[in-house]
Amino acid sequence: MEASESEVHPTVDAAAEDIATMEIRGAATIADAAAEALSVQADESAADAPEAFRAEMRAAGRRLVETRPTAVSLPNAIRYVLRGMEGGSVEALRASVLDGAEEFRTGLDQAQDNLGRIGANRLRDGDTVMTHCHSTDALSCVEAALDQGKDVSAIVKETRPRKQGHITARELREWDVPVTLVVDNAARRYLDETDHVLVGADSIAADGSVINKIGTSGLAVNARERGVPVMVAAQTLKFHPDTMTGHTVEIEMRDEREVLALDEEVEINGDDGGDGLTVENPAFDVTPPRYVDAIVTERGQFPPESIVTLMRELFGDQQGGEPWEE
Ligand code: RI2
C-alpha cells in the first residue's frame, strides 16, 4: 500500500514548498535540502513494518521531486538516498536512509570543493569572468582562484526575471571581488572586457548540452562570436542519466507574474479584455555543446562532447529510474 499524503512528514512538505517557491533554489542546494528532508522523514517515521516505511519514503521522494522538473540533481539526490531500501527491518531501512543522506550531503560539499579547485586552474591572475544567474558550483571556482592568491573581477548579469545575479553580486562583494552589474541586454557589449563566461548548470545531457537558467544559450552564442571561452561548472550530480537513452530534459515554465506584475498587465491591456496577451516564462534553456568550451566537474574538466563517456562510467547502462514509485 502506498503512503497517503498525510504520511509525508511536515518537514518534507515544508522543504517541497520552499523548493517550489524558490525560497530554496540552485541545483546543488535543492538536492541538499531534499536529502536533509528525507533523513527527517526516516528518522521520525512511526512505520512499524518495512513495507510501510518504504511507502512513506517513496511518498516523501515523490512529493519532493514533483516540485521542479529541470534540475536533475533533485531526482539524483533522492535516488542516491533511497538506493539501499531493499528488504530488512524498519531499523535497517532507517539506518540505510540516514547513512545515505549523510554520505550524499558530505559528498556534495567535497565535490564542490574539488570542482572549484579544478575550475580555478582555468582562471589566471587578473582575469574577468562574466556570470549568469547564481551558481554555487560556478562561484566555487572563483573562491578557489582567490584562495590561490589570484585577483579576479566579475561582470555580473542581472538575470531576469528574478534578478538572481544580485545574489552572485552580493557573494562576490563579500569576497571583495570587484563587481560590475549589468542588465542582461548589455552582456554582448561587455564580452570584450571578459576573459571567461562562467556559468553553472541544472542538468547536463549525454550529448554535452547544458541546461541552465534562461539566457545562457544566447550568452554562449555571443561569447563564441566574440571569442570568449564558455566554462560550465557542474558537479556530476547534474548529469542527467535519462538523456543517455534519448529522453529530453523538461524545461520548467514558471508563473507569468515573475515577468509581468498585475498592474503592468492592466496597463498593457487597457480596455481590451486581455485575451490577446500571453506571457511565457521558461526558467531554463539548452546550450548546444558546440558553444561550450569546458564542463568542469569534480572529476576533471571535459570538452562537452566527451561527457557521455564519463556518464556511462558513472551510470552504466541503467536509466535513472524512479525509486519513489513502486
Ligand atoms: P548550483 C540555478 O537554477 C541556476 O540556473 C544555476 O546556474 C543552477 O541552478 C546551478 O546552481 P535555479 O534553482 O547548483 O535558480 O551551481 O532556478 O548552485
Side-chain angles (χ1 to χ4, degrees), residues 22 25-30 68 112 132-138 164 199-202 212-213 233 238 283-284:
M22 293 179 67
R25 54 146 295 277
T29 308
I30 61 179
R68 296 193 74 194
Q112 195 164 76
H132 183 65
C133 197
H134 172 260
S135 156
T136 56
D137 279 352
Q164 291 154 306
V199 296
D202 294 79
N212 192 45
K213 184 52 46 83
K238 318 282 177 65
F284 303 100

mmCIF file with all atom_site columns, all heavy atoms in Angstrom, residues 22 25-30 68 112 132-138 164 199-202 212-213 233 238 283-284, ligand 1:
data_model
loop_
_atom_site.group_PDB
_atom_site.id
_atom_site.type_symbol
_atom_site.label_atom_id
_atom_site.label_alt_id
_atom_site.label_comp_id
_atom_site.label_asym_id
_atom_site.label_entity_id
_atom_site.label_seq_id
_atom_site.pdbx_PDB_ins_code
_atom_site.Cartn_x
_atom_site.Cartn_y
_atom_site.Cartn_z
_atom_site.occupancy
_atom_site.B_iso_or_equiv
_atom_site.pdbx_formal_charge
_atom_site.auth_seq_id
_atom_site.auth_comp_id
_atom_site.auth_asym_id
_atom_site.auth_atom_id
_atom_site.pdbx_PDB_model_num
ATOM   1   N N   . MET A 1 22  ? 10.985 28.587 -4.651  1.00 0.00 ? 22  MET A N   1
ATOM   2   C CA  . MET A 1 22  ? 12.368 29.053 -4.826  1.00 0.00 ? 22  MET A CA  1
ATOM   3   C C   . MET A 1 22  ? 12.910 29.809 -3.618  1.00 0.00 ? 22  MET A C   1
ATOM   4   O O   . MET A 1 22  ? 13.856 30.577 -3.737  1.00 0.00 ? 22  MET A O   1
ATOM   5   C CB  . MET A 1 22  ? 12.541 29.832 -6.133  1.00 0.00 ? 22  MET A CB  1
ATOM   6   C CG  . MET A 1 22  ? 12.367 28.931 -7.339  1.00 0.00 ? 22  MET A CG  1
ATOM   7   S SD  . MET A 1 22  ? 12.515 29.753 -8.943  1.00 0.00 ? 22  MET A SD  1
ATOM   8   C CE  . MET A 1 22  ? 14.233 30.226 -8.991  1.00 0.00 ? 22  MET A CE  1
ATOM   9   N N   . ARG A 1 25  ? 16.767 27.392 -3.563  1.00 0.00 ? 25  ARG A N   1
ATOM   10  C CA  . ARG A 1 25  ? 16.972 27.277 -5.009  1.00 0.00 ? 25  ARG A CA  1
ATOM   11  C C   . ARG A 1 25  ? 18.450 27.042 -5.317  1.00 0.00 ? 25  ARG A C   1
ATOM   12  O O   . ARG A 1 25  ? 19.300 27.158 -4.438  1.00 0.00 ? 25  ARG A O   1
ATOM   13  C CB  . ARG A 1 25  ? 16.458 28.521 -5.736  1.00 0.00 ? 25  ARG A CB  1
ATOM   14  C CG  . ARG A 1 25  ? 17.027 29.840 -5.219  1.00 0.00 ? 25  ARG A CG  1
ATOM   15  C CD  . ARG A 1 25  ? 17.213 30.836 -6.295  1.00 0.00 ? 25  ARG A CD  1
ATOM   16  N NE  . ARG A 1 25  ? 18.217 30.402 -7.251  1.00 0.00 ? 25  ARG A NE  1
ATOM   17  C CZ  . ARG A 1 25  ? 19.533 30.550 -7.090  1.00 0.00 ? 25  ARG A CZ  1
ATOM   18  N NH1 . ARG A 1 25  ? 20.021 31.108 -5.996  1.00 0.00 ? 25  ARG A NH1 1
ATOM   19  N NH2 . ARG A 1 25  ? 20.380 30.125 -8.018  1.00 0.00 ? 25  ARG A NH2 1
ATOM   20  N N   . GLY A 1 26  ? 18.693 26.733 -6.605  1.00 0.00 ? 26  GLY A N   1
ATOM   21  C CA  . GLY A 1 26  ? 20.043 26.356 -7.023  1.00 0.00 ? 26  GLY A CA  1
ATOM   22  C C   . GLY A 1 26  ? 20.109 24.842 -7.014  1.00 0.00 ? 26  GLY A C   1
ATOM   23  O O   . GLY A 1 26  ? 19.683 24.203 -6.036  1.00 0.00 ? 26  GLY A O   1
ATOM   24  N N   . ALA A 1 27  ? 20.609 24.273 -8.103  1.00 0.00 ? 27  ALA A N   1
ATOM   25  C CA  . ALA A 1 27  ? 20.517 22.824 -8.277  1.00 0.00 ? 27  ALA A CA  1
ATOM   26  C C   . ALA A 1 27  ? 21.151 22.027 -7.131  1.00 0.00 ? 27  ALA A C   1
ATOM   27  O O   . ALA A 1 27  ? 20.586 21.046 -6.648  1.00 0.00 ? 27  ALA A O   1
ATOM   28  C CB  . ALA A 1 27  ? 21.140 22.444 -9.619  1.00 0.00 ? 27  ALA A CB  1
ATOM   29  N N   . ALA A 1 28  ? 22.336 22.446 -6.695  1.00 0.00 ? 28  ALA A N   1
ATOM   30  C CA  . ALA A 1 28  ? 23.000 21.704 -5.615  1.00 0.00 ? 28  ALA A CA  1
ATOM   31  C C   . ALA A 1 28  ? 22.262 21.903 -4.292  1.00 0.00 ? 28  ALA A C   1
ATOM   32  O O   . ALA A 1 28  ? 22.098 20.960 -3.499  1.00 0.00 ? 28  ALA A O   1
ATOM   33  C CB  . ALA A 1 28  ? 24.451 22.163 -5.487  1.00 0.00 ? 28  ALA A CB  1
ATOM   34  N N   . THR A 1 29  ? 21.783 23.109 -4.069  1.00 0.00 ? 29  THR A N   1
ATOM   35  C CA  . THR A 1 29  ? 21.132 23.425 -2.787  1.00 0.00 ? 29  THR A CA  1
ATOM   36  C C   . THR A 1 29  ? 19.801 22.689 -2.642  1.00 0.00 ? 29  THR A C   1
ATOM   37  O O   . THR A 1 29  ? 19.459 22.220 -1.546  1.00 0.00 ? 29  THR A O   1
ATOM   38  C CB  . THR A 1 29  ? 20.935 24.956 -2.675  1.00 0.00 ? 29  THR A CB  1
ATOM   39  O OG1 . THR A 1 29  ? 22.203 25.573 -2.934  1.00 0.00 ? 29  THR A OG1 1
ATOM   40  C CG2 . THR A 1 29  ? 20.449 25.360 -1.303  1.00 0.00 ? 29  THR A CG2 1
ATOM   41  N N   . ILE A 1 30  ? 19.047 22.559 -3.743  1.00 0.00 ? 30  ILE A N   1
ATOM   42  C CA  . ILE A 1 30  ? 17.776 21.835 -3.608  1.00 0.00 ? 30  ILE A CA  1
ATOM   43  C C   . ILE A 1 30  ? 18.038 20.337 -3.388  1.00 0.00 ? 30  ILE A C   1
ATOM   44  O O   . ILE A 1 30  ? 17.293 19.677 -2.669  1.00 0.00 ? 30  ILE A O   1
ATOM   45  C CB  . ILE A 1 30  ? 16.807 22.079 -4.795  1.00 0.00 ? 30  ILE A CB  1
ATOM   46  C CG1 . ILE A 1 30  ? 17.351 21.641 -6.141  1.00 0.00 ? 30  ILE A CG1 1
ATOM   47  C CG2 . ILE A 1 30  ? 16.361 23.512 -4.865  1.00 0.00 ? 30  ILE A CG2 1
ATOM   48  C CD1 . ILE A 1 30  ? 16.359 21.872 -7.303  1.00 0.00 ? 30  ILE A CD1 1
ATOM   49  N N   . ARG A 1 68  ? 10.075 20.703 -8.894  1.00 0.00 ? 68  ARG A N   1
ATOM   50  C CA  . ARG A 1 68  ? 10.723 21.393 -10.028 1.00 0.00 ? 68  ARG A CA  1
ATOM   51  C C   . ARG A 1 68  ? 11.250 20.330 -10.993 1.00 0.00 ? 68  ARG A C   1
ATOM   52  O O   . ARG A 1 68  ? 11.949 19.414 -10.564 1.00 0.00 ? 68  ARG A O   1
ATOM   53  C CB  . ARG A 1 68  ? 11.850 22.315 -9.537  1.00 0.00 ? 68  ARG A CB  1
ATOM   54  C CG  . ARG A 1 68  ? 11.350 23.451 -8.648  1.00 0.00 ? 68  ARG A CG  1
ATOM   55  C CD  . ARG A 1 68  ? 12.412 24.515 -8.442  1.00 0.00 ? 68  ARG A CD  1
ATOM   56  N NE  . ARG A 1 68  ? 12.593 25.329 -9.624  1.00 0.00 ? 68  ARG A NE  1
ATOM   57  C CZ  . ARG A 1 68  ? 13.633 26.154 -9.800  1.00 0.00 ? 68  ARG A CZ  1
ATOM   58  N NH1 . ARG A 1 68  ? 14.570 26.238 -8.880  1.00 0.00 ? 68  ARG A NH1 1
ATOM   59  N NH2 . ARG A 1 68  ? 13.736 26.891 -10.891 1.00 0.00 ? 68  ARG A NH2 1
ATOM   60  N N   . GLN A 1 112 ? 31.998 19.848 -4.619  1.00 0.00 ? 112 GLN A N   1
ATOM   61  C CA  . GLN A 1 112 ? 32.058 21.261 -4.986  1.00 0.00 ? 112 GLN A CA  1
ATOM   62  C C   . GLN A 1 112 ? 33.440 21.854 -4.710  1.00 0.00 ? 112 GLN A C   1
ATOM   63  O O   . GLN A 1 112 ? 33.953 22.646 -5.509  1.00 0.00 ? 112 GLN A O   1
ATOM   64  C CB  . GLN A 1 112 ? 30.985 22.047 -4.237  1.00 0.00 ? 112 GLN A CB  1
ATOM   65  C CG  . GLN A 1 112 ? 30.756 23.405 -4.830  1.00 0.00 ? 112 GLN A CG  1
ATOM   66  C CD  . GLN A 1 112 ? 29.466 24.020 -4.350  1.00 0.00 ? 112 GLN A CD  1
ATOM   67  O OE1 . GLN A 1 112 ? 29.391 24.499 -3.220  1.00 0.00 ? 112 GLN A OE1 1
ATOM   68  N NE2 . GLN A 1 112 ? 28.452 24.020 -5.175  1.00 0.00 ? 112 GLN A NE2 1
ATOM   69  N N   . HIS A 1 132 ? 26.159 34.415 -15.072 1.00 0.00 ? 132 HIS A N   1
ATOM   70  C CA  . HIS A 1 132 ? 24.724 34.473 -15.370 1.00 0.00 ? 132 HIS A CA  1
ATOM   71  C C   . HIS A 1 132 ? 24.010 33.744 -14.243 1.00 0.00 ? 132 HIS A C   1
ATOM   72  O O   . HIS A 1 132 ? 24.421 32.650 -13.852 1.00 0.00 ? 132 HIS A O   1
ATOM   73  C CB  . HIS A 1 132 ? 24.461 33.779 -16.709 1.00 0.00 ? 132 HIS A CB  1
ATOM   74  C CG  . HIS A 1 132 ? 23.023 33.835 -17.143 1.00 0.00 ? 132 HIS A CG  1
ATOM   75  N ND1 . HIS A 1 132 ? 22.399 35.018 -17.462 1.00 0.00 ? 132 HIS A ND1 1
ATOM   76  C CD2 . HIS A 1 132 ? 22.096 32.862 -17.298 1.00 0.00 ? 132 HIS A CD2 1
ATOM   77  C CE1 . HIS A 1 132 ? 21.147 34.769 -17.806 1.00 0.00 ? 132 HIS A CE1 1
ATOM   78  N NE2 . HIS A 1 132 ? 20.934 33.466 -17.705 1.00 0.00 ? 132 HIS A NE2 1
ATOM   79  N N   . CYS A 1 133 ? 22.980 34.339 -13.699 1.00 0.00 ? 133 CYS A N   1
ATOM   80  C CA  . CYS A 1 133 ? 22.225 33.782 -12.574 1.00 0.00 ? 133 CYS A CA  1
ATOM   81  C C   . CYS A 1 133 ? 23.130 33.624 -11.347 1.00 0.00 ? 133 CYS A C   1
ATOM   82  O O   . CYS A 1 133 ? 24.087 34.382 -11.164 1.00 0.00 ? 133 CYS A O   1
ATOM   83  C CB  . CYS A 1 133 ? 21.550 32.458 -12.968 1.00 0.00 ? 133 CYS A CB  1
ATOM   84  S SG  . CYS A 1 133 ? 20.229 31.973 -11.828 1.00 0.00 ? 133 CYS A SG  1
ATOM   85  N N   . HIS A 1 134 ? 22.821 32.641 -10.503 1.00 0.00 ? 134 HIS A N   1
ATOM   86  C CA  . HIS A 1 134 ? 23.655 32.371 -9.322  1.00 0.00 ? 134 HIS A CA  1
ATOM   87  C C   . HIS A 1 134 ? 23.899 30.879 -9.242  1.00 0.00 ? 134 HIS A C   1
ATOM   88  O O   . HIS A 1 134 ? 22.948 30.090 -9.183  1.00 0.00 ? 134 HIS A O   1
ATOM   89  C CB  . HIS A 1 134 ? 22.960 32.845 -8.036  1.00 0.00 ? 134 HIS A CB  1
ATOM   90  C CG  . HIS A 1 134 ? 23.693 32.416 -6.789  1.00 0.00 ? 134 HIS A CG  1
ATOM   91  N ND1 . HIS A 1 134 ? 23.295 31.332 -6.031  1.00 0.00 ? 134 HIS A ND1 1
ATOM   92  C CD2 . HIS A 1 134 ? 24.825 32.891 -6.206  1.00 0.00 ? 134 HIS A CD2 1
ATOM   93  C CE1 . HIS A 1 134 ? 24.135 31.179 -5.020  1.00 0.00 ? 134 HIS A CE1 1
ATOM   94  N NE2 . HIS A 1 134 ? 25.068 32.110 -5.102  1.00 0.00 ? 134 HIS A NE2 1
ATOM   95  N N   . SER A 1 135 ? 25.168 30.519 -9.262  1.00 0.00 ? 135 SER A N   1
ATOM   96  C CA  . SER A 1 135 ? 25.529 29.102 -9.198  1.00 0.00 ? 135 SER A CA  1
ATOM   97  C C   . SER A 1 135 ? 26.613 28.900 -8.159  1.00 0.00 ? 135 SER A C   1
ATOM   98  O O   . SER A 1 135 ? 27.691 29.508 -8.245  1.00 0.00 ? 135 SER A O   1
ATOM   99  C CB  . SER A 1 135 ? 26.035 28.641 -10.570 1.00 0.00 ? 135 SER A CB  1
ATOM   100 O OG  . SER A 1 135 ? 26.873 27.516 -10.429 1.00 0.00 ? 135 SER A OG  1
ATOM   101 N N   . THR A 1 136 ? 26.344 28.008 -7.195  1.00 0.00 ? 136 THR A N   1
ATOM   102 C CA  . THR A 1 136 ? 27.366 27.737 -6.174  1.00 0.00 ? 136 THR A CA  1
ATOM   103 C C   . THR A 1 136 ? 28.554 26.993 -6.790  1.00 0.00 ? 136 THR A C   1
ATOM   104 O O   . THR A 1 136 ? 29.694 27.189 -6.365  1.00 0.00 ? 136 THR A O   1
ATOM   105 C CB  . THR A 1 136 ? 26.773 26.936 -4.995  1.00 0.00 ? 136 THR A CB  1
ATOM   106 O OG1 . THR A 1 136 ? 26.174 25.731 -5.489  1.00 0.00 ? 136 THR A OG1 1
ATOM   107 C CG2 . THR A 1 136 ? 25.722 27.733 -4.248  1.00 0.00 ? 136 THR A CG2 1
ATOM   108 N N   . ASP A 1 137 ? 28.279 26.147 -7.792  1.00 0.00 ? 137 ASP A N   1
ATOM   109 C CA  . ASP A 1 137 ? 29.398 25.457 -8.453  1.00 0.00 ? 137 ASP A CA  1
ATOM   110 C C   . ASP A 1 137 ? 30.299 26.467 -9.170  1.00 0.00 ? 137 ASP A C   1
ATOM   111 O O   . ASP A 1 137 ? 31.531 26.387 -9.085  1.00 0.00 ? 137 ASP A O   1
ATOM   112 C CB  . ASP A 1 137 ? 28.875 24.425 -9.471  1.00 0.00 ? 137 ASP A CB  1
ATOM   113 C CG  . ASP A 1 137 ? 28.463 23.104 -8.808  1.00 0.00 ? 137 ASP A CG  1
ATOM   114 O OD1 . ASP A 1 137 ? 28.716 22.935 -7.591  1.00 0.00 ? 137 ASP A OD1 1
ATOM   115 O OD2 . ASP A 1 137 ? 27.898 22.240 -9.512  1.00 0.00 ? 137 ASP A OD2 1
ATOM   116 N N   . ALA A 1 138 ? 29.692 27.405 -9.885  1.00 0.00 ? 138 ALA A N   1
ATOM   117 C CA  . ALA A 1 138 ? 30.495 28.407 -10.603 1.00 0.00 ? 138 ALA A CA  1
ATOM   118 C C   . ALA A 1 138 ? 31.282 29.274 -9.620  1.00 0.00 ? 138 ALA A C   1
ATOM   119 O O   . ALA A 1 138 ? 32.480 29.527 -9.813  1.00 0.00 ? 138 ALA A O   1
ATOM   120 C CB  . ALA A 1 138 ? 29.588 29.279 -11.469 1.00 0.00 ? 138 ALA A CB  1
ATOM   121 N N   . GLN A 1 164 ? 18.526 36.976 -10.108 1.00 0.00 ? 164 GLN A N   1
ATOM   122 C CA  . GLN A 1 164 ? 19.375 36.190 -9.206  1.00 0.00 ? 164 GLN A CA  1
ATOM   123 C C   . GLN A 1 164 ? 20.851 36.574 -9.311  1.00 0.00 ? 164 GLN A C   1
ATOM   124 O O   . GLN A 1 164 ? 21.667 36.159 -8.496  1.00 0.00 ? 164 GLN A O   1
ATOM   125 C CB  . GLN A 1 164 ? 19.173 34.706 -9.500  1.00 0.00 ? 164 GLN A CB  1
ATOM   126 C CG  . GLN A 1 164 ? 17.797 34.250 -9.095  1.00 0.00 ? 164 GLN A CG  1
ATOM   127 C CD  . GLN A 1 164 ? 17.339 33.051 -9.890  1.00 0.00 ? 164 GLN A CD  1
ATOM   128 O OE1 . GLN A 1 164 ? 17.325 33.057 -11.116 1.00 0.00 ? 164 GLN A OE1 1
ATOM   129 N NE2 . GLN A 1 164 ? 16.978 32.003 -9.183  1.00 0.00 ? 164 GLN A NE2 1
ATOM   130 N N   . VAL A 1 199 ? 29.402 29.865 -15.950 1.00 0.00 ? 199 VAL A N   1
ATOM   131 C CA  . VAL A 1 199 ? 28.021 29.597 -15.520 1.00 0.00 ? 199 VAL A CA  1
ATOM   132 C C   . VAL A 1 199 ? 27.937 28.217 -14.874 1.00 0.00 ? 199 VAL A C   1
ATOM   133 O O   . VAL A 1 199 ? 28.843 27.395 -15.012 1.00 0.00 ? 199 VAL A O   1
ATOM   134 C CB  . VAL A 1 199 ? 27.030 29.654 -16.714 1.00 0.00 ? 199 VAL A CB  1
ATOM   135 C CG1 . VAL A 1 199 ? 26.976 31.046 -17.319 1.00 0.00 ? 199 VAL A CG1 1
ATOM   136 C CG2 . VAL A 1 199 ? 27.367 28.609 -17.769 1.00 0.00 ? 199 VAL A CG2 1
ATOM   137 N N   . GLY A 1 200 ? 26.824 27.963 -14.209 1.00 0.00 ? 200 GLY A N   1
ATOM   138 C CA  . GLY A 1 200 ? 26.547 26.648 -13.642 1.00 0.00 ? 200 GLY A CA  1
ATOM   139 C C   . GLY A 1 200 ? 25.631 25.869 -14.574 1.00 0.00 ? 200 GLY A C   1
ATOM   140 O O   . GLY A 1 200 ? 25.491 26.200 -15.751 1.00 0.00 ? 200 GLY A O   1
ATOM   141 N N   . ALA A 1 201 ? 25.009 24.827 -14.040 1.00 0.00 ? 201 ALA A N   1
ATOM   142 C CA  . ALA A 1 201 ? 24.070 24.036 -14.837 1.00 0.00 ? 201 ALA A CA  1
ATOM   143 C C   . ALA A 1 201 ? 23.049 23.388 -13.919 1.00 0.00 ? 201 ALA A C   1
ATOM   144 O O   . ALA A 1 201 ? 23.341 23.067 -12.765 1.00 0.00 ? 201 ALA A O   1
ATOM   145 C CB  . ALA A 1 201 ? 24.792 22.957 -15.622 1.00 0.00 ? 201 ALA A CB  1
ATOM   146 N N   . ASP A 1 202 ? 21.849 23.222 -14.458 1.00 0.00 ? 202 ASP A N   1
ATOM   147 C CA  . ASP A 1 202 ? 20.803 22.475 -13.748 1.00 0.00 ? 202 ASP A CA  1
ATOM   148 C C   . ASP A 1 202 ? 20.788 21.025 -14.195 1.00 0.00 ? 202 ASP A C   1
ATOM   149 O O   . ASP A 1 202 ? 20.456 20.127 -13.426 1.00 0.00 ? 202 ASP A O   1
ATOM   150 C CB  . ASP A 1 202 ? 19.449 23.140 -13.947 1.00 0.00 ? 202 ASP A CB  1
ATOM   151 C CG  . ASP A 1 202 ? 19.432 24.510 -13.290 1.00 0.00 ? 202 ASP A CG  1
ATOM   152 O OD1 . ASP A 1 202 ? 19.988 25.465 -13.888 1.00 0.00 ? 202 ASP A OD1 1
ATOM   153 O OD2 . ASP A 1 202 ? 18.934 24.620 -12.168 1.00 0.00 ? 202 ASP A OD2 1
ATOM   154 N N   . ASN A 1 212 ? 20.596 25.287 -18.445 1.00 0.00 ? 212 ASN A N   1
ATOM   155 C CA  . ASN A 1 212 ? 20.853 26.252 -17.364 1.00 0.00 ? 212 ASN A CA  1
ATOM   156 C C   . ASN A 1 212 ? 19.857 27.410 -17.490 1.00 0.00 ? 212 ASN A C   1
ATOM   157 O O   . ASN A 1 212 ? 19.054 27.455 -18.427 1.00 0.00 ? 212 ASN A O   1
ATOM   158 C CB  . ASN A 1 212 ? 22.301 26.750 -17.441 1.00 0.00 ? 212 ASN A CB  1
ATOM   159 C CG  . ASN A 1 212 ? 22.720 27.507 -16.192 1.00 0.00 ? 212 ASN A CG  1
ATOM   160 O OD1 . ASN A 1 212 ? 22.452 27.068 -15.068 1.00 0.00 ? 212 ASN A OD1 1
ATOM   161 N ND2 . ASN A 1 212 ? 23.361 28.652 -16.351 1.00 0.00 ? 212 ASN A ND2 1
ATOM   162 N N   . LYS A 1 213 ? 19.918 28.324 -16.551 1.00 0.00 ? 213 LYS A N   1
ATOM   163 C CA  . LYS A 1 213 ? 18.978 29.448 -16.465 1.00 0.00 ? 213 LYS A CA  1
ATOM   164 C C   . LYS A 1 213 ? 18.782 30.129 -17.819 1.00 0.00 ? 213 LYS A C   1
ATOM   165 O O   . LYS A 1 213 ? 19.744 30.348 -18.557 1.00 0.00 ? 213 LYS A O   1
ATOM   166 C CB  . LYS A 1 213 ? 19.478 30.436 -15.403 1.00 0.00 ? 213 LYS A CB  1
ATOM   167 C CG  . LYS A 1 213 ? 18.593 31.618 -15.089 1.00 0.00 ? 213 LYS A CG  1
ATOM   168 C CD  . LYS A 1 213 ? 17.147 31.295 -14.751 1.00 0.00 ? 213 LYS A CD  1
ATOM   169 C CE  . LYS A 1 213 ? 16.939 30.164 -13.773 1.00 0.00 ? 213 LYS A CE  1
ATOM   170 N NZ  . LYS A 1 213 ? 17.042 30.524 -12.396 1.00 0.00 ? 213 LYS A NZ  1
ATOM   171 N N   . ALA A 1 233 ? 30.452 25.110 -14.857 1.00 0.00 ? 233 ALA A N   1
ATOM   172 C CA  . ALA A 1 233 ? 30.830 24.417 -13.620 1.00 0.00 ? 233 ALA A CA  1
ATOM   173 C C   . ALA A 1 233 ? 29.652 23.558 -13.176 1.00 0.00 ? 233 ALA A C   1
ATOM   174 O O   . ALA A 1 233 ? 28.588 24.095 -12.845 1.00 0.00 ? 233 ALA A O   1
ATOM   175 C CB  . ALA A 1 233 ? 31.190 25.437 -12.540 1.00 0.00 ? 233 ALA A CB  1
ATOM   176 N N   . LYS A 1 238 ? 24.822 16.737 -11.641 1.00 0.00 ? 238 LYS A N   1
ATOM   177 C CA  . LYS A 1 238 ? 23.978 17.418 -12.631 1.00 0.00 ? 238 LYS A CA  1
ATOM   178 C C   . LYS A 1 238 ? 23.844 16.609 -13.926 1.00 0.00 ? 238 LYS A C   1
ATOM   179 O O   . LYS A 1 238 ? 23.159 17.060 -14.845 1.00 0.00 ? 238 LYS A O   1
ATOM   180 C CB  . LYS A 1 238 ? 24.544 18.807 -12.962 1.00 0.00 ? 238 LYS A CB  1
ATOM   181 C CG  . LYS A 1 238 ? 25.066 19.612 -11.777 1.00 0.00 ? 238 LYS A CG  1
ATOM   182 C CD  . LYS A 1 238 ? 23.966 20.241 -10.976 1.00 0.00 ? 238 LYS A CD  1
ATOM   183 C CE  . LYS A 1 238 ? 24.454 20.985 -9.760  1.00 0.00 ? 238 LYS A CE  1
ATOM   184 N NZ  . LYS A 1 238 ? 25.273 22.153 -10.011 1.00 0.00 ? 238 LYS A NZ  1
ATOM   185 N N   . ALA A 1 283 ? 12.010 28.862 -17.462 1.00 0.00 ? 283 ALA A N   1
ATOM   186 C CA  . ALA A 1 283 ? 13.076 29.161 -16.498 1.00 0.00 ? 283 ALA A CA  1
ATOM   187 C C   . ALA A 1 283 ? 14.460 28.780 -17.022 1.00 0.00 ? 283 ALA A C   1
ATOM   188 O O   . ALA A 1 283 ? 15.468 29.286 -16.518 1.00 0.00 ? 283 ALA A O   1
ATOM   189 C CB  . ALA A 1 283 ? 12.797 28.436 -15.189 1.00 0.00 ? 283 ALA A CB  1
ATOM   190 N N   . PHE A 1 284 ? 14.515 27.901 -18.013 1.00 0.00 ? 284 PHE A N   1
ATOM   191 C CA  . PHE A 1 284 ? 15.818 27.373 -18.453 1.00 0.00 ? 284 PHE A CA  1
ATOM   192 C C   . PHE A 1 284 ? 15.873 27.311 -19.975 1.00 0.00 ? 284 PHE A C   1
ATOM   193 O O   . PHE A 1 284 ? 14.838 27.339 -20.648 1.00 0.00 ? 284 PHE A O   1
ATOM   194 C CB  . PHE A 1 284 ? 16.038 25.969 -17.876 1.00 0.00 ? 284 PHE A CB  1
ATOM   195 C CG  . PHE A 1 284 ? 15.950 25.941 -16.375 1.00 0.00 ? 284 PHE A CG  1
ATOM   196 C CD1 . PHE A 1 284 ? 14.793 25.506 -15.733 1.00 0.00 ? 284 PHE A CD1 1
ATOM   197 C CD2 . PHE A 1 284 ? 17.005 26.378 -15.591 1.00 0.00 ? 284 PHE A CD2 1
ATOM   198 C CE1 . PHE A 1 284 ? 14.694 25.507 -14.347 1.00 0.00 ? 284 PHE A CE1 1
ATOM   199 C CE2 . PHE A 1 284 ? 16.922 26.392 -14.209 1.00 0.00 ? 284 PHE A CE2 1
ATOM   200 C CZ  . PHE A 1 284 ? 15.763 25.952 -13.579 1.00 0.00 ? 284 PHE A CZ  1
HETATM 201 P P1  . RI2 B 2 .   ? 24.316 25.427 -8.403  1.00 0.00 ? 1   RI2 B P1  1
HETATM 202 C C1  . RI2 B 2 .   ? 20.034 27.584 -10.740 1.00 0.00 ? 1   RI2 B C1  1
HETATM 203 O O1  . RI2 B 2 .   ? 18.668 27.350 -11.030 1.00 0.00 ? 1   RI2 B O1  1
HETATM 204 C C2  . RI2 B 2 .   ? 20.748 28.329 -11.842 1.00 0.00 ? 1   RI2 B C2  1
HETATM 205 O O2  . RI2 B 2 .   ? 20.264 28.026 -13.139 1.00 0.00 ? 1   RI2 B O2  1
HETATM 206 C C3  . RI2 B 2 .   ? 22.162 27.844 -11.624 1.00 0.00 ? 1   RI2 B C3  1
HETATM 207 O O3  . RI2 B 2 .   ? 23.030 28.046 -12.725 1.00 0.00 ? 1   RI2 B O3  1
HETATM 208 C C4  . RI2 B 2 .   ? 21.922 26.365 -11.337 1.00 0.00 ? 1   RI2 B C4  1
HETATM 209 O O4  . RI2 B 2 .   ? 20.723 26.349 -10.559 1.00 0.00 ? 1   RI2 B O4  1
HETATM 210 C C5  . RI2 B 2 .   ? 23.020 25.629 -10.653 1.00 0.00 ? 1   RI2 B C5  1
HETATM 211 O O5  . RI2 B 2 .   ? 23.207 26.108 -9.349  1.00 0.00 ? 1   RI2 B O5  1
HETATM 212 P P2  . RI2 B 2 .   ? 17.503 27.997 -10.090 1.00 0.00 ? 1   RI2 B P2  1
HETATM 213 O O6  . RI2 B 2 .   ? 17.255 26.987 -8.988  1.00 0.00 ? 1   RI2 B O6  1
HETATM 214 O O7  . RI2 B 2 .   ? 23.941 24.005 -8.192  1.00 0.00 ? 1   RI2 B O7  1
HETATM 215 O O8  . RI2 B 2 .   ? 17.983 29.318 -9.590  1.00 0.00 ? 1   RI2 B O8  1
HETATM 216 O O9  . RI2 B 2 .   ? 25.643 25.547 -9.101  1.00 0.00 ? 1   RI2 B O9  1
HETATM 217 O O10 . RI2 B 2 .   ? 16.310 28.127 -10.999 1.00 0.00 ? 1   RI2 B O10 1
HETATM 218 O O11 . RI2 B 2 .   ? 24.257 26.248 -7.126  1.00 0.00 ? 1   RI2 B O11 1
#
